[in-house]
């Protein structure tokens, strides 16, 4: 129902709202397409959706502009909040029918509402990454060490090569003289 059309006191404002809305909409949609959608989709869609609104068990934020002259958005918002089980209403002062414009930050509106779709507010106490941290199970730790850390260790760990008295190079530090000094120790880091 569009009560604003039936109320003679509001009819002038409503008609002005329609003119403004059609003017703005015609900039984005060809008139023939707009006419087709209004005639063929609006009433059918509304009759199908209205019957199912009370089945939507999801948090919903109904955003309404207080200066909407197109339809009675305030009444429609109240109706939706009654029908939707988990709905909350946000009134945007001095906003018209096209309320979600550059002046409304929808993300902030959701975050500051009572909606909690991710159940953040149900947590008993905030998670403390130091105090509340639990080490992963041994099998996960082993898997991570073998799949990720081992590869990095193999790629970037130092390789020690020593040279014996005959000038032959071997892996490890076994050929470094122990009782003779000084010893020149050369290290090279490469990525």
């Amino acid at each position: 129902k569009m009560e604003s059309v039936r109320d003679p006191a509001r009819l002038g404002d409503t008609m002005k709202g329609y003119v403004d809305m059609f003017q703005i909409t015609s900039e984005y949609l060809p008139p023939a397409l707009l006419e087709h959608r209004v005639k063929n989709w609006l009433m059918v869609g509304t009759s199908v959706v209205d019957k199912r609104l009370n089945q939507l068990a999801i948090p919903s934020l109904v955003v309404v502009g207080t200066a909407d002259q197109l339809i009675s958005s305030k009444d429609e918002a109240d109706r939706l909040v009654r029908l939707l089980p988990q709905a909350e209403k946000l009134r945007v002062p001095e906003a018209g029918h096209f309320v979600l414009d550059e002046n409304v930050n929808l993300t902030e509106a959701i975050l500051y509402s009572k909606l909690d779709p991710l159940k953040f507010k149900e947590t008993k106490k905030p998670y403390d990454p130091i105090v509340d941290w639990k080490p992963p199970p041994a099998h996960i730790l082993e898997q991570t060490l073998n799949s990720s850390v081992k590869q990095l260790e193999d790629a970037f760990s130092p390789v020690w090569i020593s040279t014996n008295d005959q000038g032959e190079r071997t892996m490890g530090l076994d050929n470094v003289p122990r009782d003779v000094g000084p010893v020149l120790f050369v290290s090279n880091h490469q990525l």
Side-chain angles (χ1 to χ4, degrees):
K1 285 183 181 178
M2 295 177 58
E3 296 299 325
S4 60
V5 174
R6 296 169 192 208
D7 182 356
R10 294 170 45 195
L11 189 57
D13 288 337
T14 300
M15 294 310 289
K16 181 189 178 309
Y18 279 132
V19 169
D20 292 344
M21 187 271 307
F22 285 122
Q23 211 168 8
I24 292 168
T25 306
S26 69
E27 295 172 13
Y28 299 101
L29 293 174
L33 179 60
L34 179 60
E35 181 182 4
H36 172 77
R37 288 182 180 180
V38 170
K39 281 183 180 177
N40 298 307
W41 294 358
L42 186 62
M43 297 313 280
V44 173
T46 322
S47 67
V48 171
V49 171
D50 276 357
K51 291 183 250 179
R52 298 180 179 165
L53 286 176
N54 63 351
Q55 298 170 17
L56 289 175
I58 57 171
S60 305
L61 183 64
V62 178
V63 183
V64 60
T66 60
D68 188 349
Q69 300 295 321
L70 178 60
I71 61 172
S72 181
S73 293
K74 291 171 262 182
D75 295 340
E76 180 64 10
D78 291 338
R79 183 183 79 84
L80 289 172
V81 168
R82 277 194 311 277
L83 288 174
L84 294 165
Q86 297 181 42
E88 180 182 339
K89 180 172 43 178
L90 170 66
R91 293 176 188 259
V92 180
E94 300 178 24
H97 189 72
F98 299 101
V99 66
L100 295 179
D101 60 11
E102 67 276 357
N103 297 314
V104 175
N105 184 331
L106 189 56
T107 302
E108 279 186 6
I110 292 169
L111 289 175
Y112 293 121
S113 72
K114 294 176 190 164
L115 301 179
D116 190 16
L118 301 178
K119 309 290 185 224
F120 286 136
K121 296 172 186 166
E122 287 184 11
T123 305
K124 305 293 183 269
K125 66 178 182 89
Y127 176 77
D128 183 320
I130 304 299
V131 176
D132 297 331
W133 183 81
K134 303 275 186 270
H139 72 281
I140 297 290
L141 196 55
E142 185 70 27
Q143 178 184 1
T144 303
L145 287 171
N146 289 332
S147 66
S148 301
V149 176
K150 179 78 173 110
Q151 293 170 354
L152 292 171
E153 187 178 72
D154 291 346
F156 298 107
S157 289
V159 175
W160 304 107
I161 301 172
S162 57
T163 306
N164 64 17
D165 293 337
Q166 289 76 34
E168 299 168 333
R169 291 184 207 159
T170 57
M171 297 297 287
L173 299 175
D174 292 339
N175 290 319
V176 173
R178 291 181 169 80
D179 42 340
V180 180
V183 174
L184 176 61
F185 185 76
V186 178
S187 176
N188 183 12
H189 173 73
Q190 298 178 358
L191 287 179

